[in-house]
Amino acid sequence: MLKDITIGQYLPGHSFLHSLDPRTKIIAVLIYMISLFVVNNFFGLGFMLLLSFVVVLTSQIPVKFFFRGIKAIIFIVSLTVILQMFMTPGEIMWQFGIFKITKEGIHQAIFMGTRLILLVSVTSILTLTTTPISLTDGIEHLLKPFQRFGVPAHELAMMMTIALRFIPTLIEETEKIMKAQAARGADFESGNLVQRAKAMIPLLVPLFLNAVKRADELAMAMEARCYHGGENRTRLKALQYTKRDYVAAVLCIGMVAGAFTSRFI
Amino acid sequence: MIKIDHLTHIFYKESTKEEVKALDDVSLEIHEGEHIAVLGHNGCGKSTLAKHLNALLLPTAGTVEVDAVDTANEADLWTIRQMVGMVFQNPDNQLVATTVEEDVAFGPENMGIEPAIIRQRVDEALDAVAMTAFKDKGPHLLSGGQKQRVAIAGIIAMRPKYIVFDEPTAMLDPIGRQEVMNTIHYLNKQEGLTVINITHFMEEAVQADRVVIMEHGKIVLSGKPKEVFTQVDLLKEMQLDIPPIAELAALLHKENKNIAADIMTIEEMVTELCLWK
Amino acid sequence: MSLEVKHVTYIYQKGSPAENHALQDICLKIDEGEFLGIVGHTGSGKSTLIQHLNGLLKPSEGEILVDGVDINQKESRAKLKELRMQVGLVFQYPEYQLFEETVENDIAFGPRSLGLSEQEIKERVQHTMELLNLDYENFRNKSPFELSGGEKRKVAIAGVLAMQPKYLILDEPTAGLDPRGRQEFLELIAMLHRQGMTIVMVSHSMDDIARYAQKMIVMEHGQIKLSGTPQEVFSHPVELEQIGVGVPTLTKLLLRLKERGFHVRTDLFNVNEVKKEILTALSERKGDTTC
């Protein structure tokens, strides 16, 4: 069912990571990404692996969520691993006809595969431990300094909020329209690609038109509630850094320092 | 007081390329603490009228004044929208945020209120509509009636004096409709808010202090429910529903003049008939 | 000929934590030419039940028979599609499913999916539109999106009727309409019924059900709690109140009067009949002062 799709899934909890300011978490993920690509030997990779493992444990999120995330990208990971393994030039270890596996290839494959898996796991911790609201709040705040260069920070955040708000509604509506058209004999399941694409028209046209109508009504309702952009707007939950965020900041510096140091081992 | 004075609104209809007079010289005074029901068919101008009360639309001719402030005065726009709240028909298309509590906070946030005070107002507003237990839920997990109550909370958190309800129960089932009507009555009677309820449901109109019936952009009938709903023939001519008990009372009155014609509810009817038994 | 629901159980999201018996052992027979009303809360299983009637949902257990044939059996799939089209289903707010550029094409969508000839399709569209008081020449080339709310809904219903179903199922056909539109639609449905179509109507309005339906069922928690003629069903006010669907306004009045010692029948729904009944009761009891 369409309802099973969860975008930016959030799992309520009370871990150290849950209680961090969203800005801290977003920046920490960025630093993590950099560190992950800074490390270039097995000491560094081991360091990052260990660190990631600790972060996962700290989040108190059931491991199955990470496996699910990894399962979703397994195709991309395998592809990367295979490509790296066969395409990297260097000292040949095995060769079958034109296919050859090099020592450097294996090295690269392990690195890229591990990096991808770690990257997906740790980024998913960001959405799993942060409510969509504070995530958009965090993004809005972090983008604010760039507003003077024309980055519409508030507008972007508002768009994200509304999108998140209406995804479940639109999914429900999609199911409803599919059923209504099926009752008129529409067939969404059989036929070749062209036929199937054509069969989507009775679904997509009403969906689009209703979305336009919704947007219209929502805009009116927002105006009636005194919405006039981000100017002079306050928030119910103002973002505030706490001691935990400073602790996290120190740990991040440690991480990036560790990553750089590992290059010289 | 909201004072509507010779209000006319003309808009240009894109599809037929002609001008339509949605409101035609309408005058009406809405007093503080009143509960007014506005009835009429689709296209009679009642929604257009409603949108003039908080400056979502501006008059083509005539004026609308909210507590002596002209809605056409752009400088006072946000004051007017704060004073006159509005709840719309479709419960889905007026909730903005991803949780109930954040949505209720939306209006006060736009007004630039201090976070601590927003918190207090949100809690009070959710309490007033009995939705406190749902404050962390996503709107998509609520029933229609619950969503509509959240929308109402979002308005009362802005501390308005007047609330305009634009067919708030049209898309709800009977339970949701009852929930919303109970909330509206509570706000009017207990919190002293002025209520303007635009509706198709005669049962709702019967409970108002005053009923206004519109047709072709004009007010055609206005008065206490008992005065309006006794005009059965006129209402039938306009193809409006008549509350079943009012219709029965009119029929009984025709046959037996002892029975009063202005009976609106079951309880009143039982009492009345017992008198003549 | 009939539409039959035999011991149907439907389990929603079987095996998941959200597993839910949306329908439990439902048995129901709708005879050709009947007008059946279905009432119950949101979530009582009404929508799930009607989606079974034309095969949109498949029962977890039990079977759905259209004119004696199980519509969910595997054999002769092509025939099953036709069989399902015998049962026309009009959803709530059906105007949200309109998508074609012209009224004519939108109504023709269903017949076209049945693979009829263009001539036949045109005839059906024309016939259906006239049945619903939509002038063919005037409306055929209009965009459905520039019509009024009531007209849009008519076009949407025409799209189902043009498949010429024997059984027509309507989920709250008057929701969101103004009083005039509501009246017009109820009259249209009554007319279709008079012309021999079997009607199943889901409604929240006990007054409408009392006025139009010949039989009715009351659903709660995926089960049929009460069934029979409206007279029979509405003679159980206590149960109906518990289920939370209530009784028609005039029935409520008659019941209250009876409690207070009036000798009145309580199975009347028409305002003129109720008037007569009350006047008779009043004249009979003149002089008696116990109230």
Side-chain angles (χ1 to χ4, degrees):
Chain A
M1 290 291 251
L2 283 164
K3 270 183 192 149
D4 299 334
I5 300 174
T6 44
I7 297 170
Q9 206 178 13
Y10 166 69
L11 268 190
H14 300 282
S15 71
F16 174 75
L17 291 175
H18 279 88
S19 68
L20 285 179
D21 188 287
R23 291 168 293 183
T24 313
K25 281 187 267 191
I26 295 168
I27 294 173
V29 166
L30 290 175
I31 296 176
Y32 177 83
M33 285 181 185
I34 294 167
S35 310
L36 206 52
F37 286 89
V38 161
V39 295
N40 64 349
N41 56 31
F42 284 108
F43 289 108
L45 197 64
F47 170 67
M48 291 309 286
L49 200 64
L50 193 72
L51 208 73
S52 312
F53 197 64
V54 172
V55 171
V56 166
L57 283 181
T58 319
S59 72
Q60 295 175 3
I61 285 166
V63 188
K64 65 172 184 194
F65 280 91
F66 299 102
F67 282 126
R68 218 183 279 168
I70 293 164
K71 222 169 101 189
I73 56 151
I74 199 77
F75 176 74
I76 298 173
V77 173
S78 329
L79 195 74
T80 315
V81 166
I82 290 168
L83 283 179
Q84 294 285 357
M85 208 142 65
F86 288 102
M87 304 306 247
T88 316
E91 186 187 325
I92 293 164
M93 298 190 72
W94 292 284
Q95 185 160 12
F96 329 94
I98 56 158
F99 297 106
K100 45 184 184 283
I101 296 178
T102 60
K103 195 177 169 192
E104 286 78 3
I106 292 175
H107 186 263
Q108 280 294 340
I110 293 172
F111 259 77
M112 287 316 283
T114 317
R115 274 177 182 154
L116 271 176
I117 288 170
L118 289 181
L119 201 62
V120 166
S121 304
V122 172
T123 353
S124 61
I125 289 182
L126 175 64
T127 61
L128 282 165
T129 63
T130 319
T131 60
I133 309 161
S134 40
L135 202 58
T136 42
D137 267 2
I139 293 172
E140 182 177 354
H141 270 87
L142 289 173
L143 286 179
K144 235 175 211 163
F146 301 100
Q147 231 163 4
R148 77 182 81 160
F149 307 115
V151 177
H154 168 73
E155 285 74 9
L156 281 174
M158 199 69 212
M159 276 160 60
M160 276 176 68
T161 308
I162 291 173
L164 285 169
R165 153 75 186 88
F166 278 94
I167 284 169
T169 312
L170 291 179
I171 289 174
E172 211 174 282
E173 186 159 280
T174 307
E175 283 184 359
K176 233 188 262 172
I177 296 172
M178 277 178 97
K179 276 187 180 164
Q181 304 298 28
R184 291 209 277 169
D187 187 350
F188 296 106
E189 270 140 31
S190 53
N192 61 34
L193 210 61
V194 179
Q195 281 166 330
R196 277 196 195 199
K198 233 179 133 187
M200 295 305 273
I201 295 173
L203 169 65
L204 295 178
V205 172
L207 204 57
F208 177 73
L209 290 170
N210 292 351
V212 171
K213 186 169 174 267
R214 277 184 200 284
D216 218 28
E217 289 185 21
L218 186 68
M220 170 106 43
M222 285 168 71
E223 241 189 274
R225 289 165 78 181
C226 292
Y227 180 70
H228 51 276
E231 232 172 289
N232 299 327
R233 203 171 127 79
T234 48
R235 298 307 314 268
L236 167 65
K237 291 174 186 153
L239 293 181
Q240 211 162 19
Y241 290 118
T242 62
K243 246 184 220 158
R244 291 161 187 257
D245 296 295
Y246 300 124
V247 173
V250 172
L251 291 175
C252 279
I253 294 168
M255 168 170 72
V256 82
F260 270 107
T261 319
S262 74
R263 291 176 74 107
F264 303 108
I265 298 178
Chain B
M1 185 175 77
I2 298 181
K3 193 171 175 207
I4 301 161
D5 195 23
H6 297 287
L7 168 63
T8 296
H9 187 85
I10 295 167
F11 66 88
Y12 180 75
K13 202 172 170 190
E14 204 69 58
S15 58
T16 50
K17 304 214 183 312
E18 58 190 20
E19 289 193 331
V20 182
K21 212 178 222 181
L23 290 175
D24 187 0
D25 197 30
V26 171
S27 294
L28 181 70
E29 282 183 5
I30 299 160
H31 303 284
E32 269 161 52
E34 236 186 335
H35 174 183
I36 292 192
V38 183
L39 296 170
H41 292 292
N42 291 342
C44 74
K46 52 191 184 352
S47 279
T48 312
L49 179 68
K51 292 189 179 97
H52 276 84
L53 302 182
N54 64 348
L56 282 176
L57 289 175
L58 293 175
T60 310
T63 56
V64 178
E65 284 179 5
V66 178
D67 289 354
V69 179
D70 192 333
T71 58
N73 200 344
E74 216 167 301
D76 295 317
L77 183 64
W78 306 114
T79 321
I80 287 164
R81 297 228 169 122
Q82 180 268 313
M83 279 201 292
V84 186
M86 196 160 186
V87 176
F88 296 84
Q89 178 181 24
N90 191 326
D92 259 321
N93 299 353
Q94 52 186 322
L95 301 183
V96 189
T98 44
T99 66
V100 165
E101 157 177 287
E102 289 280 340
D103 188 81
V104 176
F106 182 72
E109 287 175 345
N110 292 332
M111 289 156 62
I113 292 170
E114 294 276 314
I117 299 173
I118 299 183
R119 163 55 56 201
Q120 193 187 333
R121 286 195 181 189
V122 167
D123 291 346
E124 282 174 24
L126 283 173
D127 207 34
V129 300
M131 285 297 290
T132 308
F134 297 86
K135 68 185 171 74
D136 294 321
K137 285 250 167 13
H140 64 285
L141 300 172
L142 307 180
S143 73
Q146 290 170 335
K147 280 183 209 166
Q148 208 61 318
R149 274 149 64 202
V150 172
I152 296 174
I155 298 303
I156 49 185
M158 293 167 70
R159 296 282 159 89
K161 264 171 85 172
Y162 310 89
I163 305 190
V164 183
F165 293 91
D166 192 357
E167 296 190 40
T169 60
M171 298 182 76
L172 306 181
D173 64 5
I175 292 181
R177 197 175 295 159
Q178 198 53 53
E179 286 170 12
V180 169
M181 282 318 291
N182 289 346
T183 308
I184 293 178
H185 282 291
Y186 169 81
L187 294 176
N188 178 243
K189 295 277 177 291
Q190 305 300 315
E191 309 274 328
L193 279 158
T194 310
V195 166
I196 299 115
N197 183 23
I198 293 172
T199 180
H200 284 314
F201 295 105
M202 305 300 146
E203 312 88 282
E204 294 175 12
V206 165
Q207 301 165 341
D209 299 324
R210 188 146 60 110
V211 178
V212 172
I213 296 182
M214 294 187 65
E215 201 170 47
H216 306 306
K218 289 185 181 185
I219 293 177
V220 287
L221 207 58
S222 150
K224 292 202 173 86
K226 292 204 171 197
E227 293 160 12
V228 169
F229 290 119
T230 39
Q231 314 214 26
V232 172
D233 295 333
L234 186 60
L235 293 172
K236 277 206 167 149
E237 202 179 299
M238 286 191 275
Q239 289 179 291
L240 285 167
D241 283 349
I242 299 150
I245 300 293
E247 190 181 7
L248 179 67
L251 286 172
L252 286 169
H253 180 74
K254 256 186 208 159
E255 305 271 343
N256 181 346
K257 296 288 176 219
N258 285 329
I259 300 171
D262 63 345
I263 297 172
M264 301 289 125
T265 66
I266 292 177
E267 285 316 305
E268 284 173 4
M269 181 60 95
V270 171
T271 318
E272 177 76 12
L273 290 177
C274 275
L275 278 178
W276 302 110
K277 204 175 106 174
Chain C
M1 294 289 124
S2 67
L3 192 54
E4 228 176 319
V5 180
K6 271 189 165 170
H7 298 287
V8 164
T9 293
Y10 181 70
I11 302 167
Y12 179 71
Q13 294 193 333
K14 197 170 183 170
S16 86
E19 181 175 310
N20 182 5
H21 277 69
L23 292 177
Q24 282 184 55
D25 197 27
I26 298 275
C27 290
L28 177 67
K29 192 171 177 226
I30 304 157
D31 287 317
E32 208 175 323
E34 207 169 76
F35 193 134
L36 175 79
I38 302 184
V39 304
H41 283 170
T42 312
S44 61
K46 300 174 299 194
S47 300
T48 314
L49 174 62
I50 59 174
Q51 287 177 37
H52 275 83
L53 298 180
N54 73 341
L56 275 180
L57 292 176
K58 285 194 183 71
S60 307
E61 284 163 42
E63 47 193 28
I64 308 284
L65 307 178
V66 174
D67 296 342
V69 185
D70 181 355
I71 59 166
N72 293 306
Q73 66 181 11
K74 292 229 166 55
E75 302 89 56
S76 57
R77 288 205 76 143
K79 242 179 119 187
L80 286 178
K81 184 170 178 184
E82 248 169 70
L83 209 61
R84 279 183 194 160
M85 294 304 151
Q86 295 280 310
V87 186
L89 177 54
V90 179
F91 279 89
Q92 234 182 79
Y93 299 102
E95 55 275 22
Y96 289 141
Q97 75 201 33
L98 299 173
F99 72 99
E100 281 281 7
E101 280 167 54
T102 67
V103 166
E104 178 161 30
N105 277 339
D106 209 292
I107 299 174
F109 178 72
R112 210 158 267 154
S113 78
L114 291 177
L116 301 173
S117 73
E118 284 303 311
Q119 180 60 31
E120 164 97 40
I121 291 172
K122 196 186 157 191
E123 275 169 21
R124 282 193 179 195
V125 171
Q126 191 166 357
H127 174 75
T128 316
M129 284 175 71
E130 269 148 26
L131 198 66
L132 296 182
N133 305 327
L134 287 169
D135 183 56
Y136 178 68
E137 288 307 326
N138 186 12
F139 278 96
R140 56 180 289 204
N141 287 323
K142 279 194 181 168
S143 156
F145 305 106
E146 63 184 53
L147 305 180
S148 77
E151 286 165 348
K152 271 187 202 165
R153 190 165 296 185
K154 275 190 191 175
V155 172
I157 293 181
V160 173
L161 281 177
M163 295 192 291
Q164 300 192 339
K166 249 161 94 179
Y167 306 91
L168 182 67
I169 302 161
L170 302 130
D171 191 356
E172 284 202 69
T174 63
L177 294 174
D178 64 9
R180 189 186 291 155
R182 219 153 54 215
Q183 214 44 53
E184 194 187 351
F185 269 93
L186 288 170
E187 288 307 326
L188 272 175
I189 294 162
M191 178 204 69
L192 291 171
H193 178 235
R194 277 197 300 277
Q195 291 183 354
M197 192 171 286
T198 313
I199 305 281
V200 177
M201 180 167 89
V202 173
S203 176
H204 283 310
S205 164
M206 298 305 131
D207 290 311
D208 291 350
I209 294 283
R211 242 173 91 192
Y212 293 99
Q214 297 166 325
K215 274 195 188 163
M216 65 183 287
I217 59 171
V218 181
M219 294 191 66
E220 194 193 24
H221 304 314
Q223 291 170 316
I224 296 178
K225 291 283 161 160
L226 289 166
S227 69
T229 63
Q231 279 83 355
E232 287 163 6
V233 170
F234 290 131
S235 65
H236 299 275
V238 182
E239 289 93 324
L240 289 168
E241 219 53 67
Q242 266 165 8
I243 296 170
V245 293
V247 295
T249 320
L250 292 175
T251 311
K252 219 182 274 174
L253 174 71
L254 291 170
L255 286 165
R256 293 278 289 115
L257 288 174
K258 198 172 181 182
E259 263 172 45
R260 300 289 291 263
F262 284 83
H263 285 285
V264 285
R265 282 169 57 181
T266 56
D267 57 350
L268 300 170
F269 307 122
N270 179 295
V271 70
N272 281 305
E273 286 170 12
V274 173
K275 176 197 80 176
K276 257 188 228 152
E277 187 71 10
I278 289 175
L279 289 174
T280 324
L282 280 178
S283 64
E284 272 172 7
R285 298 283 304 251
K286 250 204 175 120
D288 188 344
T289 49
T290 54
C291 194

